[in-house]
Every structure is written in structure tokens, then in C-alpha cells.
Amino acid sequence: MTTNSQMNPELRLSLQPDVLAIDLRTAVMRTSRRLRIEATGDVITPGQYTVLAHLRAKSQTLRELADQEHVQAPSMTRIVNALTDQGFASRSPHPEDGRQVKVSITPAGEAVLAEARSQRTAWLAQRVAGLSEEDRRTLSRAAHIMQELSAR
């Protein structure tokens, strides 16, 4: 068994919480960006994908969607307009506030979202398939740990 003092200095440094946090953040952001770009397809944009994913959970107002995406209301209006024009989302009167509308995902939106998710999974699976069994085990464990971290 290798003791901490026998460990490679670079490895010892990469295990420090602040250094590991930077490495993890960088890896997650780069992977997320690649997934968004590589596997969204020509049908919907990455921003539309994210909005559809929010709508899959529940119908929401434009303000709620804008807040979740950290964008201004006019930007969210453009995204929702594009989704409704394509038949992927629909608007309905807000049941309690006549000044607002609720946005919902349509069956066509569900289908395009499922297809985009399938493309993303296939893109990532292709890259994972090229890894050694040991690296796949390591990634599996890391995925579970990251899910636990994000659930806290």
C-alpha cells in the first residue's frame, strides 16, 4: 500500500479539495458543453432543449423559466416562441393570474426531447466504450459520488 508520503507529488496535489474541485468543475463544464453542442441536433437549440427539460417536469410561467435559466424575460419569450412555432410547447391561460400564461410541453416536444437525450447518451456511450474496463469502473464510481454530491 502506498502511503501519502510515497505518493507522486502531482497526485498528492490533485487530491487537495480545492485543486480537485477545480479539476471536477472543469471536467463537468467541458463535458456538459460538448454534450450540448455535439448531440442537440438540428431540430432544437441547446437553450430550447433545456427549456423543454424544465417543462417536462411541470408547466411553468415565462418568468419561472427565465429565472431557472438565468436569462431575461425577453430572451425566454424568444425561446418559447420558437418552441411553440415548432409545436414543441403550448401556452395556456394561467389559472390564477390572468396577466400570465403557463407554458407546457406538447407530445411533439416530448418526442424531440427524448430524441435529443438519446443522441446525447449515444455520443457519450461511444466515448465511454473506448475506455478500459478499469477506467469505466472509475467513472461509474465517480458518477455515483457526483450524484450524491449534487443531491446534498
Side-chain angles (χ1 to χ4, degrees):
M1 183 168 161
T2 305
T3 65
N4 206 20
S5 61
Q6 296 172 319
M7 215 183 282
N8 175 329
E10 284 185 26
L11 179 59
R12 195 171 40 239
L13 179 64
S14 70
L15 294 179
Q16 293 179 358
D18 57 339
V19 175
L20 181 56
I22 291 168
D23 290 345
L24 283 171
R25 180 184 49 78
T26 302
V28 167
M29 294 304 293
R30 285 183 181 165
T31 302
S32 178
R33 188 176 306 121
R34 287 294 303 266
L35 282 169
R36 286 176 62 114
I37 292 168
E38 296 286 339
T40 300
D42 297 332
V43 179
I44 58 174
T45 67
Q48 291 171 340
Y49 172 93
T50 305
V51 170
L52 287 176
H54 288 305
L55 293 175
R56 187 165 184 265
K58 66 176 184 169
S59 297
Q60 298 182 54
T61 66
L62 289 168
R63 169 57 43 213
E64 290 169 331
L65 291 167
D67 288 348
Q68 288 177 337
E69 286 301 297
H70 307 290
V71 299
Q72 296 297 316
S75 296
M76 185 53 63
T77 298
R78 282 191 294 278
I79 292 170
V80 170
N81 284 345
L83 289 170
T84 56
D85 289 348
Q86 293 172 288
F88 300 144
S90 64
R91 288 184 171 94
S92 60
H94 192 288
E96 297 152 11
D97 185 346
R99 299 168 297 164
Q100 295 189 47
V101 297
K102 290 288 247 183
V103 182
S104 303
I105 193 169
T106 64
E110 292 271 5
V112 77
L113 180 62
E115 176 61 26
R117 284 185 170 167
S118 177
Q119 288 175 347
R120 289 174 179 211
T121 299
W123 180 86
L124 192 54
Q126 181 181 6
R127 272 120 192 107
V128 170
L131 298 174
S132 68
E133 186 175 336
E134 180 183 353
D135 284 348
R136 286 195 307 270
R137 269 197 212 100
T138 300
L139 271 181
S140 176
R141 179 71 183 127
H144 290 286
I145 292 168
M146 291 178 74
Q147 288 172 9
E148 289 172 11
L149 281 174
S150 64
R152 293 181 190 162

